[in-house]
Amino acid sequence: MAVIRDVMAPFELLQPTSAADAQRLLEQHGADAWAMAGGLDSFDWLKDRIKKPKVVVDLSGISELKGVRETGDGIEIGAMTTLTQVVNHPIVREKYSLLSQGAELAASPQIRNQGTLGGNVSQDARCWYYRAGWPCYRAGGNICYADTPTGRNREHAILHAERCVAVNPSDSAPALIALDAKFVIRTPKGERVVDAEDYFIGPEIDITRLHILKPGDLLTAIRIPASWAGAQFYFEKVRDRNVWDFALLNVASAMVVSGGRIERMRIAVNGAAARPLRLKAVEDAVRGKPPSAETGAMAGRLAVEGAVPLQFNAYKIPLMRNLVKRAIGGVEEAKWAPIGE
Ligand SMILES: Cc1cc2nc3c(=O)[nH]c(=O)nc-3n(C[C@H](O)[C@H](O)[C@H](O)COP(=O)(O)OP(=O)(O)OC[C@H]3O[C@@H](n4cnc5c(N)ncnc54)[C@H](O)[C@@H]3O)c2cc1C
Ligand code: SF4
């Protein structure tokens, strides 16, 4: 069990001013190093003395990692661009508003002012057993405290769980998957560009990480192609309270409709598994169909196929079914009948 003290364990602080230097330092110090972006997730771990890196590589002085740039085919967002800058950027708002909607629903204004897009997609699981330093599977142990008859698992996974049932907490991640974004990573072997959906991994690949970054890797940018610019977007996040709170589930979709039929669509949900899930079967099933409540209902049923609830999170199955339905068929008006009628 974690012992929480006021003072962080000491570490060497390195403050590079270029991405090349930052990656070299991360490579040089390997598993002893910790990349620090906005620090919102990082400081939780360090202050609780649960993670004790020997070296912290502070990325905040690297201007080439900040800002939104137009490219020949869309935009490129530096990994150190804050969520607030992403939300408010005029091109993001005009053409890729799905991302501004998702990012704007993350955390609180203060956290979005400091937290970065790169940090938001690379943040760790929020399972309280793990965050409190319990020696579970994800922490290198051989038990899951959440997946027991009395474990607190209301917020946990309904799909693709394997030993660990924690979920990915990012609100920007499903929006980036729906926008077909590419993640640019500087690795010891050179630059690597991966599809957004391939940046995230589940416990079947590595139970100790939610993403593909290995020691020595630096996420430098996220590219969004123009192919979905101005599409019909839908983002919905369901949380326990409408101030800052992590998602119980969220859904993000981009849809192009022509002649009353869905020409193409990308859709992803987060909060259902250890990685944000692109719903490829749904995308295929709705192609050529009208964006109606019936199509949405069919898609919702398909989306939750194979879902397995834990003791306290069965509500997530109808919730996910309905979020997918609403993303496709729209939100039905609530029908109120006066009391007594
Ligand atoms: C109280 C609270 C509520 C929150 N609520 C939400 C919410 O509702 N929705 C949501 O989506 N998020 C939420 N967050 C997360 C928040 O939005 C931050 O984005 C997130 O914590 C990390 O961003 P950061 O820039 O502070 O990164 P850091 O905390 O510095 O880094 C996070 C992780 O990513 C790694 N990392 C960061 N950048 C890079 C890089 N360029 N290359 C390699 N590795 C990197 C770090 O090593 C670290 O492991 C919340 C956070 C807090 C503290
Ligand atoms: S759900 Fe994952 S992070 Fe939480 S206790 Fe189980 S193994 Fe650990």
Side-chain angles (χ1 to χ4, degrees):
M1 179 108 49
V3 178
I4 299 179
R5 301 194 183 94
D6 287 343
V7 182
M8 284 188 274
F11 52 76
E12 190 180 354
L13 179 66
L14 303 176
Q15 297 186 296
T17 53
S18 74
D21 281 351
Q23 188 277 318
R24 262 195 300 275
L25 290 168
L26 289 171
E27 184 179 351
Q28 187 184 328
H29 295 280
D32 289 335
W34 183 281
M36 169 85 74
L40 272 321
D41 197 11
S42 299
F43 277 120
D44 266 5
W45 289 117
L46 305 184
K47 288 174 116 174
D48 287 349
R49 300 172 68 92
I50 293 165
K51 310 261 184 188
K52 297 179 188 170
K54 293 195 175 118
V55 168
V56 169
V57 179
D58 171 15
L59 308 175
S60 65
I62 308 176
S63 45
E64 68 188 280
L65 295 181
K66 297 175 186 170
V68 180
R69 299 169 278 279
E70 271 194 281
T71 62
D73 172 37
I75 56 169
E76 180 172 285
I77 307 176
M80 286 298 291
T81 310
T82 66
L83 293 173
T84 298
Q85 287 163 341
V86 171
V87 169
N88 292 336
H89 196 278
I91 299 174
V92 178
R93 289 192 91 85
E94 185 199 330
K95 295 183 176 167
Y96 311 100
S97 58
L98 186 64
L99 177 58
S100 40
Q101 287 175 55
E104 194 160 23
L105 288 171
S108 65
Q110 292 89 339
I111 291 170
R112 293 194 295 275
N113 287 344
Q114 174 72 14
T116 65
L117 187 61
N120 190 262
V121 294
S122 310
Q123 61 179 305
D124 211 340
R126 283 275 156 187
C127 170
W128 29 78
Y129 298 103
Y130 173 57
R131 301 296 295 204
W134 291 38
C136 65
Y137 284 126
R138 189 164 287 281
N142 62 0
I143 184 173
C144 172
Y145 298 97
D147 190 8
T148 64
T150 53
R152 291 187 58 202
N153 52 37
R154 188 175 156 272
E155 287 80 359
H156 288 65
I158 50 169
L159 281 157
H160 305 291
E162 192 189 295
R163 292 170 293 148
C164 175
V165 293
V167 295
N168 184 297
S170 170
D171 285 319
S172 64
L176 290 165
I177 291 174
L179 288 167
D180 199 12
K182 315 288 171 200
F183 286 32
V184 186
I185 305 163
R186 192 183 263 265
T187 80
K189 291 184 185 155
E191 188 175 277
R192 187 176 170 206
V193 181
V194 298
D195 288 340
E197 67 212 77
D198 296 333
Y199 183 74
F200 304 98
I201 55 175
E204 73 286 2
I205 295 178
D206 187 339
I207 205 163
T208 64
R209 294 180 291 144
L210 294 183
H211 52 67
I212 58 170
L213 295 185
K214 295 204 173 102
D217 289 353
L218 176 73
L219 177 68
T220 56
I222 291 173
R223 293 181 187 144
I224 303 181
S227 41
W228 293 91
Q232 202 172 306
F233 297 132
Y234 189 88
F235 191 98
E236 188 169 355
K237 169 177 178 173
V238 176
R239 50 189 159 175
D240 277 327
R241 28 181 222 149
N242 262 343
V243 291
W244 66 264
D245 208 350
F246 288 95
L248 296 168
L249 277 180
N250 60 30
V251 65
S253 67
M255 185 159 71
V256 173
V257 178
S258 121
R261 309 248 152 205
I262 300 171
E263 193 180 292
R264 56 195 172 103
M265 177 181 204
R266 285 178 70 96
I267 180 166
V269 293
N270 209 1
R275 60 189 162 86
L277 300 174
R278 181 180 170 200
L279 305 177
K280 189 82 177 54
V282 167
E283 295 170 11
D284 292 339
V286 302
R287 196 171 301 119
K289 299 206 164 51
S292 61
E294 289 69 35
T295 306
M298 176 274 293
R301 284 192 298 273
L302 193 58
V304 297
E305 270 182 15
V308 180
L310 302 163
Q311 191 79 353
F312 300 110
N313 71 355
Y315 74 94
K316 279 199 179 187
I317 297 179
L319 181 57
M320 179 166 156
R321 194 163 52 219
N322 277 312
L323 286 181
V324 170
K325 179 181 172 192
R326 287 152 72 103
I328 292 160
V331 180
E332 284 173 39
E333 290 295 318
K335 294 186 182 69
W336 297 100
I339 294 170
E341 283 189 13

